[in-house]
Amino acid sequence: MIQASGLRKSYGGIVALDGVDLHVRQGEIFGVLGQSGAGKSTLLRCVNLLERPDQGVVTVAGQELTTLGERDLRAARQRIGMIHQHFALLSSRTVAGNVAFPLEVMGVGRSERAARVAELLDLVGIADKADARPGQLSGGQKQRVGIARALAGNPAVLLADEATSALDPGTTTSILALLKRLNAELGLTILLITHEMNVVKSVCDSVAIMAGGRILESGPIRELLTTPGSRLAAELFPLPAPAPGDVTITFTGAAEEPVISQLVRKFDVDVNILGGALEDVAGDSVGRLRVSLDGAESAAALAYLRERGLIVEVAA
Ligand SMILES: Nc1ncnc2c1ncn2[C@@H]1O[C@H](COP(=O)(O)OP(=O)(O)OP(=O)(O)O)[C@@H](O)[C@H]1O
């Protein structure tokens, strides 16, 4: 649904994007995770060409945007919704007026506009605030208005620029739940940028980890978590640096088998648990355990764990 390749963008001497490839599949929620200055906002702005990349190609919903002139680009952008960290609402307009704005620009007639606005406000759960002004709303309500406005043109794609960074944890949870619902109900593809692992953990299907204008690792979260050496796994489960020979075991899904006690019973090994954590990631339970094994049958014990589908990494 979104395909970007070879994106480069510099501001004077500052390289914001240093050869970025991105592939967001239809119907997924894709998170770009990175610290401040990583290049996330620049990447997002290059996806809808608010910013023109110095080099590279961007294709959204089958249309190559990088070849379009300004007029065609404006039309193409109507199919790409965007929401912002600080909401970017028009303070002089009511909630309904804010959501109506893009429809006015598109030339939608008055009665059709009113019906569509009502439908959108209902969809995001603020139908009762239609006549309020942005200044009378909480942060979460403002973001709901931003989402309704972004959906006005029936976009195939929603870009979310740190959409929950200005919100408290409870409100963040409810806005993320709304995005997840819109993704499921409308089949909306969502590309979000965030510096919060929590956002990625709770709603994303896929992720790209970004630093210094480059993507360090990307792919479906489930795949990354079960890939040895994954940065995502290391960031999600910050365990101390392993000593040589320490074993890190990653498992997804509920731990149905008591593998560690089986291990000790079946093999001549001692298991010392050094650390571990269990997290809910993208609706799945994922765990990481750091152990040291000691005993004559350590190698056979590790093979046994691998046979049971666990990801086993032994520190060099
Ligand atoms: N319009 C601009 N003019 C000059 N430099 C810019 C501009 N936009 C971004 N940069 C620089 O490009 C680099 C990447 O910035 P970008 O905003 O994309 O990062 P980010 O990961 O989104 O960080 P943040 O979360 O702080 O916005 C930074 O060094 C930034 O200072």
Side-chain angles (χ1 to χ4, degrees), residues 148-232:
R149 180 183 55 188
L151 296 181
N154 251 327
V157 168
L158 180 69
L159 306 181
D161 183 356
E162 296 278 8
T164 56
S165 296
L167 305 175
D168 64 59
T171 311
T172 292
T173 303
S174 72
I175 292 295
L176 292 177
L178 173 61
L179 291 178
K180 188 91 193 155
R181 177 164 68 77
L182 296 172
N183 163 255
E185 284 179 10
L186 309 177
L188 186 67
T189 304
I190 301 177
L191 173 61
L192 60 84
I193 63 169
T194 184
H195 62 275
E196 293 172 283
M197 176 61 89
N198 224 7
V199 170
V200 170
K201 215 171 71 180
S202 54
V203 291
C204 291
D205 303 300
S206 294
V207 70
I209 298 181
M210 210 174 167
R214 291 167 179 262
I215 289 181
L216 306 179
E217 174 172 303
S218 83
I221 288 180
R222 241 196 121 102
E223 262 172 41
L224 293 183
L225 288 179
T226 52
T227 302
S230 156
R231 286 168 194 267
L232 181 72

Side-chain angles (χ1 to χ4, degrees), residues 9-17 32-45 51 85 161-162 165 193-195 210-213:
K9 178 77 190 176
S10 298
Y11 299 99
I14 298 168
V15 180
L17 296 182
V32 177
L33 179 70
Q35 310 261 308
S36 181
K40 308 180 299 295
S41 307
T42 305
L43 174 59
L44 203 69
R45 289 201 307 270
E51 202 80 72
Q85 178 175 4
D161 183 356
E162 296 278 8
S165 296
I193 63 169
T194 184
H195 62 275
M210 210 174 167

